[in-house]
């Protein structure tokens, strides 16, 4: 038994008589004051399994009850490869052992439902790519460019030809787990999409009791994997057979059945989920409003992940035809404020292998720039938080009547008084993408602004080295060796420029 | 006397004893049932002038009363050069004689306050430029890159050194009128900014009684010019000494004193003016939310002019450093929906001559592309109105359960149910820039979408020739000679592409 690694017990026993999903087997794991009860599952061929994720070192005792009964102890030692689950801490993420984790995700919805060839190619692509999180689905996906049937489905059908959630298709789950494991061992988190609307088989129309059985089974099999996040849905709000109360119930079931409290959120099409709900660990948003990152961080006090902000590609749809530059631009906009972005790629393909649905090979121009950004962000001494650069001082200096504070400055007062439409559209226009690591690092990203001159308002009592970064050409050049206070900058006058001030 | 051209009467008389602004002189002009009373003004050297803008042909009788008294008649014949004032009709503009007018404006705030050299250079630049409207100010402007004092100010100072609105500086007004006239004769409308906040002289701090005298004087001198629009302010909402009621009063004074009802609106910094007010003829908006054009057209049933959507340039400010491509992009976004845009240019200059403040020479890459767009728009057989392309049919066809109408389609129902933040950010993402001239022409602009495939939903019973337009390279190529109904399109897969379907 290794801390932060899945521990599995196997037992022989008689096949379940009733539900094959809700097997009567559970175990209690104890270590010091920590006690967890986990449910097991029937894995076919007379084998029951109980999976457990130890979160501390020491001696564990375990006791299995139900159709099989056993007990024992295990010495849990430190892992040399797992840092534990990723958890939300404030507005950022970190592994359980405190190691920094910055999500740079990508999207391969139907990853598990492709041929072995494509899956292998995908994993090879991921080896070379910067992505450390993959959003993908349990249920197969029916949508343009993705009409193939998978080899297996999560459930078997009953005599009437309906999906029987009490009869899991074990081959499917074993296959699925293998993919999750292979990625996990590459350092890639699975952001597991539990429900979605793009369906022709009927999985989107399970009733709530069927959903409960399905979720319970998912937890039995998958909750002990350290590298899994729960994404209740992809575009929950267009699953028109579910009410919002159904989603709260789904949230409740997951929270109750997951002994470890993996990261949990819900992904919208048009209506953001209520991220203030206590069980929701982070804001999972589909939007292109990158400028909202710090507003949402402040409102929900949770990490903000732009889990869909359109895909680099050339499809007919506005969500699937942004340029590589724009994909990179959106990453920088969010990351400069200490928020996170998920990539996706949708280039038309002769074989209909589009990364966003099936994986395969990456064709776009953004991944290597995302890698450049990732290296830069991981190289910073701390997590980035939004920086309200004290630009109001410039307004103050430009007016005769001094007000002495941002709150009293009439310009900022007016800005603060706006609501509704006026507020949204001015936010969009005035968006500043600036972050900091305390007073150690200040980062300003100019997005599509082509400033040839600019300024940065650094602390007056500290010294900084200032670099100018071209996010597309991936260059970093020293602009000023030593700067303090408000400092004028000469910039290239083009889109995609960032400035990084690091304390000397 | 020519219809739609300014008619001026001059009289000698004793200089006014009290206010030199509120001269006691007015005239009544009669032609058939039409009767208009206009105030005159004292123009120095013992000369009084009464200006009148005839709006029909025929015999006018006139009678002047006050310090000078006279009467006479004039035969008003058709003009061979003026089409009359521009007026708002529905959501578009046209000249009084029915001639099409599509505003393609630019911004030269302190045009009238520069040296004669620069003004001449500016007018030469305008000769070669596509712009047919210039936003500029009566009051001088104090702001970065524009700190020079003008030769004259609108008023003289009193003995205490305060501006005396009762004592206009005639040299100033004559100079100002000459500029307005020179541009008017080039076909360029003056979008006259009556107030603004960028001031170091005190013009922004006139009290309401002073404002009334000033506005009354402006109307006496300028209302008879056919090529003038009233822009109550530039950024009314940051003139912190004025309440919203002051603005309503300013609006009332203009409406009452302007006998011809020139176009009238008010320009915001952050808070849109209330365009539903009856006296307001069009929506003058500062924003980059080009996607709101059709929403505002529908809400206010008036033309929408994006009179500031950032400037092509390289300043430190986000409002003054967009790329030429982005400026062109914003023009296309609005124009494709039948809305209008005003250009501006802010490139750092060795001599501090920035077009947006002073004029001079145009340096940017957008004007010739704006000319290309202008030619295209003027070449269309009618005004463009927003086109709700029936894309919902695609959703309908993709779902098993047919709903039969957009209103019943659950996807569009959800979209319609959104409010607040969710509504704004989805609008921004889903924005479609599509317009039509009835069923004669359909125009789709893809903005920054890089679609390689797309479709256009044309009427099934009519035939169209489809062109693909590259808005940056300024090319137009026939894509399909004859198309009807929903038609698949092969596109270049890059930003800045439009498709134009013209009925054969």
């Amino acid at each position: 038994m290794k801390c932060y690694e899945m521990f599995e017990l196997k037992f022989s026993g008689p096949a379940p008589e009733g539900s094959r999903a809700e097997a009567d087997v559970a175990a209690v794991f104890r270590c010091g004051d920590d006690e967890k009860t986990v449910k097991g599952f029937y894995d076919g061929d007379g084998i029951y399994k109980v999976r457990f994720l130890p979160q501390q070192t020491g001696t564990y005792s375990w006791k299995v009850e139900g159709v099989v009964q056993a007990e024992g102890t295990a010495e849990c030692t430190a892992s040399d490869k797992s840092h534990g689950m990723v958890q939300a801490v404030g507005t950022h993420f970190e592994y359980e052992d405190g190691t920094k984790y910055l999500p740079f995700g990508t999207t391969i919805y139907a990853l598990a439902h492709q041929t072995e060839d494509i899956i292998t190619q995908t994993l090879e692509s991921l080896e070379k790519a910067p992505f450390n999180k993959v959003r993908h689905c349990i249920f197969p996906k029916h949508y343009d460019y993705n009409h193939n049937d998978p080899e297996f489905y999560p459930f078997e059908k009953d005599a009437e030809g309906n999906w029987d959630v009490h009869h899991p298709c074990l081959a499917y789950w074993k296959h699925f787990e293998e993919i999750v494991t292979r990625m996990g061992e590459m350092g890639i988190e699975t952001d597991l999409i539990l429900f979605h609307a793009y369906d022709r088989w009927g999985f989107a129309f399970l009733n709530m009791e069927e959903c409960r059985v399905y979720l319970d089974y998912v937890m039995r099999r998958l909750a002990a994997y350290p590298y899994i996040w729960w994404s209740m849905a992809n575009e929950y709000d267009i699953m028109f057979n579910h009410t919002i109360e159904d989603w709260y119930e789904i949230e409740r079931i997951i929270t109750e059945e997951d002994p470890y409290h993996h990261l949990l959120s819900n992904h919208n099409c048009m209506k953001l989920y209520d991220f203030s709900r206590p069980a929701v660990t982070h804001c999972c948003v589909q939007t292109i409003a990158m400028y909202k990152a710090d507003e949402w961080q402040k409102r929900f006090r949770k990490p903000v992940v732009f889990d869909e902000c359109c895909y680099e590609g050339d499809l007919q749809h506005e969500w699937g035809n942004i340029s590589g530059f724009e994909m990179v631009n959106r990453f920088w906009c969010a990351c400069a404020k200490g928020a996170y972005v998920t990539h996706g790629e949708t280039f038309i393909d002769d074989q209909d292998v589009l990364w966003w649905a099936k994986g395969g090979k990456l064709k776009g121009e953004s991944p290597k720039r995302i890698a450049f950004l990732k290296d830069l962000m991981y190289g910073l001494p701390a997590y980035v938080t939004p920086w309200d650069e004290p630009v109001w001082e410039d307004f103050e200096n430009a007016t005769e009547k001094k007000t002495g504070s941002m709150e009293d400055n009439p310009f900022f007062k007016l800005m603060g008084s706006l609501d509704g439409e006026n507020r949204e559209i001015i936010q969009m226009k005035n968006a500043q993408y600036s972050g900091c690591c305390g007073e150690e690092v200040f980062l300003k990203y100019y997005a599509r602004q082509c400033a040839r001159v600019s300024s940065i308002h650094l602390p007056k009592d500290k010294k900084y080295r200032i670099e100018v970064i071209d996010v597309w050409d991936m260059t970093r050049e020293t602009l000023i060796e030593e700067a303090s206070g408000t400092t004028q900058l000469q910039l290239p006058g083009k889109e995609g420029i960032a400035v990084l001030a690091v304390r000397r």
Side-chain angles (χ1 to χ4, degrees), chain A residues 128-425:
Chain A
K128 288 171 276 176
F131 308 117
N132 58 11
K133 176 172 89 90
V134 172
R135 280 180 68 74
H136 65 113
C137 303
I138 291 186
F139 292 128
K141 187 186 172 192
H142 167 81
Y143 194 74
D144 296 351
Y145 310 106
N146 190 54
H147 289 136
N148 51 316
D149 276 296
E151 197 183 344
F152 304 109
Y153 296 93
F155 316 123
E156 306 289 357
K157 287 186 169 175
D158 64 18
E160 283 80 47
N162 298 317
W163 296 115
D164 181 1
V165 295
H166 291 287
H167 204 145
C169 169
L170 300 173
Y172 176 83
W173 291 96
K174 287 174 188 182
H175 171 72
F176 194 87
E177 286 163 3
E178 193 190 321
I179 294 168
V180 168
T181 303
R182 282 161 78 183
M183 291 202 300
E185 292 185 347
M186 288 161 65
I188 299 172
E189 303 283 307
T190 279
D191 194 0
L192 187 61
I193 297 166
L194 296 165
F195 295 97
H196 68 81
Y198 301 97
D199 177 77
R200 70 165 177 273
W201 303 273
F203 299 114
F205 296 93
L206 300 180
N207 65 37
M208 281 306 289
E209 169 57 16
E210 289 168 327
C211 289
R212 188 195 59 73
V213 175
Y214 157 66
L215 290 169
D216 175 68
Y217 190 70
V218 167
M219 297 302 139
R220 290 168 187 245
R221 294 200 73 111
L222 299 177
Y225 286 84
Y227 26 69
I228 275 193
W229 306 16
W230 310 126
S231 186
M232 291 163 59
N234 203 66
E235 303 189 337
Y236 82 95
D237 48 338
I238 60 162
M239 295 194 73
F240 298 111
N241 58 318
H242 280 329
T243 64
I244 191 69
E245 286 72 29
D246 289 343
W247 290 108
Y248 296 161
E249 175 62 10
I250 287 168
E251 183 193 299
R252 193 196 60 75
I253 295 166
I254 296 169
T255 311
E256 200 167 290
E257 300 295 342
D258 168 13
Y260 315 103
H261 303 302
H262 289 267
L263 290 167
L264 169 67
S265 197
N266 203 358
H267 172 274
N268 64 295
C269 178
M270 298 185 227
K271 206 168 185 164
L272 300 184
Y273 194 62
D274 179 2
F275 304 118
S276 71
R277 297 178 60 80
V280 175
T281 54
H282 61 286
C283 308
C284 167
V285 292
Q286 173 173 191
T287 185
I288 63 168
M290 317 311 285
Y291 61 90
K292 305 283 287 186
D294 47 333
E295 185 183 343
W296 288 328
Q297 284 172 335
K298 278 176 208 155
R299 192 187 307 166
F300 301 111
R301 300 181 194 185
K302 293 175 185 177
V304 172
V305 188
F306 291 88
D307 263 323
E308 196 174 337
C309 63
C310 301
Y311 307 125
E312 181 182 3
D314 56 11
L315 294 194
Q316 66 270 48
H317 307 291
E318 93 290 337
W319 50 258
N321 59 24
I322 64 169
S323 67
F325 183 90
E326 185 55 26
M327 182 92 253
V328 172
N329 182 45
R330 291 180 188 177
F331 264 81
W332 273 86
C333 286
C335 288
K337 292 187 181 230
Y340 306 100
V341 184
T342 299
H343 159 274
E345 191 182 285
T346 46
F347 285 102
I348 289 165
D349 181 80
D350 288 344
Q351 309 297 315
D352 271 3
V353 180
L354 281 67
W355 177 266
W356 124 102
K358 298 182 180 173
K361 285 187 182 171
L362 284 160
K363 299 166 187 168
E365 298 181 284
S366 67
K368 70 175 175 178
R369 276 92 182 180
I370 295 168
F372 172 75
L373 168 62
K374 185 186 175 197
D375 286 347
L376 186 142
M377 298 301 289
Y378 265 101
L380 298 181
Y383 290 94
V384 170
T385 55
W387 176 39
D388 283 332
E389 192 181 357
V391 288
W392 72 272
E393 293 175 4
D394 300 344
F395 289 81
E396 186 84 353
N397 292 336
T399 5
E400 281 178 42
K401 246 197 246 168
K402 308 289 176 215
T403 53
S405 79
M406 192 169 85
E407 289 67 34
D408 293 331
N409 182 290
F411 196 84
F412 287 85
K413 246 167 131 167
L414 171 62
M415 210 180 291
S417 76
L418 299 173
D419 53 19
E421 180 179 81
N422 283 316
R423 183 155 180 279
E424 292 300 325
I425 67 181

Side-chain angles (χ1 to χ4, degrees), chain A residues 10 41 61 113 221 224 234 395 440 454:
Chain A
K10 275 195 224 182
F41 60 96
S61 67
H113 314 107
R221 294 200 73 111
N234 203 66
F395 289 81
E440 293 303 301
S454 184

Side-chain angles (χ1 to χ4, degrees), chain A residues 425-444:
Chain A
I425 67 181
I426 201 77
Q427 276 191 340
M428 179 170 62
K429 173 160 171 281
N430 289 356
Q432 301 294 332
Y433 302 101
S434 305
C436 60
C437 307
E439 293 198 326
E440 293 303 301
V441 172
F442 295 93
L443 175 62
K444 272 182 88 159

